[in-house]
Amino acid sequence: MTFLSFVVLLVTLLHQGHGNSLDSCQGRCGYGTDSSFTCQCNQHCERYNDCCHDYEAVCKAGSTSCKGRCGENYNSQNKCHCNSKCTQYSNCCSDYADLCGASAGGGSVTITDAEIKALSETLYVLDSNKASASELIVDPQVLVPDSETGSQTDLSPKLLFRYLNENVLFSRPTYAALLALLDNYNRMTGQAEDFSPQQLAEQDTFLKETVSNTELGRELFAFLYTKGVYPSEEAFIQDLKMMWFGLYSRNNNKLDSSGFEHIFAGEIKGGKVSGFHNWIQFYLLEKRGLLNYYSHSFNGPWTTYPDVLGMQFMWDGYYKQVGSAVIGCSPEFDLALYSLCYIARPGKQCRLSLGGKELVIQTYTWDNSTYGDGKKFIGSAFPSTPRTM
C-alpha cells in the first residue's frame, strides 16, 4: 500500500468514526428513516438493528423529558410528547415549556420559560424609576383568608397608601405620561370611548416614554427583536399601540374597552369592578376619597419594591373582591411585564422571576375581535393570586 493510499484510508476511517459520533437521536426521535444518518431514531430501528447509541435514553417509550426531543414527530410509544400539538392534547412532558418553549403570540417563534425568567430578572434590575422605601410607604393592615374576600367588610380603617413622594415620582416622564392617560376613560362598560386628538397623542407619548426612552423598554424590544418577533422598533411600538389601546366591545356592542383601560384604569361591568391592576390608579383614587381599601388576601414575598398585593376595596360604590397589582414599580415595568407575558404566553400563565422569587402573571386574550392580520387584543393580565380576575 502506497503512503498516499494509506492516508486516504486513514482519513476515511476517521471521517466514518466522527460521523458515527455525530449520529445522535438528539432532536430526531420519531422521525422516519433518513439515509443521510448512519443510525435511526424511530420505533422500527430496533427491528432492523440500526438505532443510534442514545436511542434508548432519548427516545425509548417511557421517556418523560423533552431533552433532545423538541419538535419530534408524534410517537404513540412515548408517555409524553414534545411537539407543537402537545399543548392542544394536554400530553406534553413536564419540561416542554422550559426546554422547547411556546409560540410567541401564537406564531412560529419560541420563547422558553427560562428565557422569560432571565429577561424578567434583567427588567427587575433595570427598573430605575421604581419607588424607594423613602418615596412610598404602604400600610396593608388586615390580611384575610380567601374565604372572606367576598364579605365586603371594611377591616382596615387607615389608607393603604400612607405616603407617596409625588414631587419626585410624578415628575418623571413615564409617570407623567401615565397620569395623562388615566383620566381619558369612562369606567362604565357599554358606553363607547371617544378620544380627542390630544388624548390619542397621549397614547403615543406613553409608549414613547416607557418603551423608546427607557433602558428597560429598549431591553424588552432588543430581546423580542433577537427572537424574531418584531423586525423593527417601529413595528413593536405599532403592535403595542393596537394591543393595548385598540378598542373593542365588552358590553352592548359599543367600542367601550381596551387592554389599557381594563388593566391600568379599571372598569365597571355587571355591577362590580372589572380589571384594575395598577397601583398608581389605586393611589390617585384613594387620595381623592373615591376608593376605600378594605383588606388584602395576598402579600408577595418581596421586602422592597416592587411588591405584589391582592386587595379588597370599594370603588365609589362598586366592589372588587381581589384586585392584584404590582406595587411600587414604574409604569414602564408594569407595561413591560404584562407585554412580555402577553406576547410570549397569550391566554396562559407566565412565570417570571424577580429578585430570585417567582411571580406568575395570568394573561387572557380578547377572542371576540381582532386587529391586523388576526392578532388578538389584550383581554386582561394581572399578578396571579388566589381568586383574582
Side-chain angles (χ1 to χ4, degrees):
M1 179 183 293
T2 65
F3 177 77
L4 180 60
S5 300
F6 174 79
V7 171
V8 171
L9 176 61
L10 180 62
V11 170
T12 301
L13 291 173
L14 287 173
H15 175 73
Q16 288 176 344
H18 183 62
N20 288 337
S21 70
L22 292 179
D23 283 353
S24 166
C25 284
Q26 296 292 325
R28 296 175 55 211
C29 296
Y31 281 76
T33 300
D34 188 339
S35 59
S36 65
F37 291 91
T38 61
C39 59
Q40 306 303 323
C41 303
N42 54 56
Q43 56 186 320
H44 303 296
C45 70
E46 291 180 284
R47 176 182 175 186
Y48 293 103
N49 199 30
D50 61 354
C51 298
C52 292
H53 66 92
D54 56 358
Y55 170 74
E56 186 83 15
V58 176
C59 306
K60 189 67 173 175
S63 176
T64 57
S65 172
C66 282
K67 186 175 181 179
R69 297 172 54 201
C70 296
E72 68 179 11
N73 288 348
Y74 175 76
N75 185 339
S76 61
Q77 294 186 42
N78 292 334
K79 290 184 177 180
C80 63
H81 304 279
C82 305
N83 54 53
S84 59
K85 291 186 177 181
C86 71
T87 55
Q88 177 182 346
Y89 293 100
S90 300
N91 58 9
C92 299
C93 295
S94 60
D95 56 2
Y96 170 74
D98 192 41
L99 296 181
C100 304
S103 298
S108 59
V109 178
T110 59
I111 299 176
T112 68
D113 282 358
E115 288 175 320
I116 293 175
K117 289 182 177 180
L119 178 59
S120 59
E121 284 287 4
T122 300
L123 299 179
Y124 179 74
V125 172
L126 291 177
D127 190 15
S128 59
N129 282 331
K130 66 183 178 184
S132 67
S134 63
E135 294 165 342
L136 172 61
I137 301 174
V138 298
D139 184 9
Q141 300 168 75
V142 175
L143 174 68
V144 299
D146 296 340
S147 60
E148 296 181 16
T149 57
S151 66
Q152 300 193 29
T153 302
D154 185 359
L155 301 173
S156 302
K158 300 177 183 179
L159 298 178
L160 173 62
F161 289 93
R162 287 178 52 193
Y163 172 75
L164 179 70
N165 192 331
E166 293 186 18
N167 291 333
V168 171
L169 293 178
F170 287 178
S171 64
R172 295 172 181 171
T174 58
Y175 285 83
L178 175 63
L179 295 176
L181 285 174
L182 289 176
D183 62 358
N184 291 349
Y185 295 92
N186 183 333
R187 67 176 182 166
M188 305 302 295
T189 59
Q191 300 182 23
E193 299 290 352
D194 184 19
F195 300 121
S196 67
Q198 174 62 33
Q199 291 172 329
L200 292 174
E202 289 169 355
Q203 297 174 5
D204 294 329
T205 298
F206 177 72
L207 293 175
K208 177 182 177 181
E209 294 295 347
T210 56
V211 179
S212 301
N213 291 353
T214 66
E215 188 177 0
L216 188 155
R218 292 192 294 269
E219 182 70 20
L220 174 61
F221 165 68
F223 171 79
L224 295 172
Y225 175 78
T226 58
K227 295 297 294 182
V229 181
Y230 296 102
S232 65
E233 182 180 350
E234 181 182 6
F236 178 44
I237 295 292
Q238 182 58 36
D239 193 42
L240 286 180
K241 184 173 182 179
M242 292 303 302
M243 182 191 306
W244 279 101
F245 295 103
L247 292 173
Y248 51 80
S249 176
R250 286 188 186 268
N251 191 17
N252 203 28
N253 293 319
K254 303 290 185 180
L255 294 178
D256 60 350
S257 184
S258 67
F260 180 87
E261 179 181 7
H262 183 80
I263 296 167
F264 282 82
E267 300 176 298
I268 303 298
K269 182 179 180 181
K272 61 182 180 180
V273 178
S274 179
F276 200 132
H277 301 288
N278 178 254
W279 74 271
I280 296 173
Q281 174 74 327
F282 194 111
Y283 165 79
L284 293 171
L285 293 171
E286 186 180 50
K287 179 183 177 182
R288 293 167 56 192
L290 297 176
L291 187 150
N292 186 7
Y293 170 71
Y294 280 9
S295 57
H296 68 286
S297 55
F298 175 81
N299 193 340
W302 296 272
T303 56
T304 59
Y305 299 120
D307 198 356
V308 178
L309 282 176
M311 301 162 287
Q312 292 73 55
F313 58 90
M314 189 72 73
W315 179 15
D316 198 21
Y318 298 93
Y319 187 64
K320 181 69 175 182
Q321 184 169 346
V322 183
S324 58
V326 182
I327 307 294
C329 68
S330 68
E332 58 266 35
F333 186 78
D334 243 358
L335 182 75
L337 287 195
Y338 291 143
S339 297
L340 168 63
C341 283
Y342 188 74
I343 292 166
R345 300 289 185 268
K348 301 177 182 178
Q349 286 194 337
C350 174
R351 298 189 178 278
L352 307 171
S353 180
L354 306 181
K357 298 178 175 63
E358 186 178 67
L359 170 65
V360 177
I361 299 291
Q362 175 69 55
T363 70
Y364 288 98
T365 59
W366 185 256
D367 296 331
N368 296 333
S369 55
T370 60
Y371 68 93
D373 56 351
K375 291 186 175 183
K376 295 180 179 180
F377 299 101
I378 292 178
S380 189
F382 52 82
S384 184
T385 61
R387 300 179 64 186
T388 54
M389 53 185 161

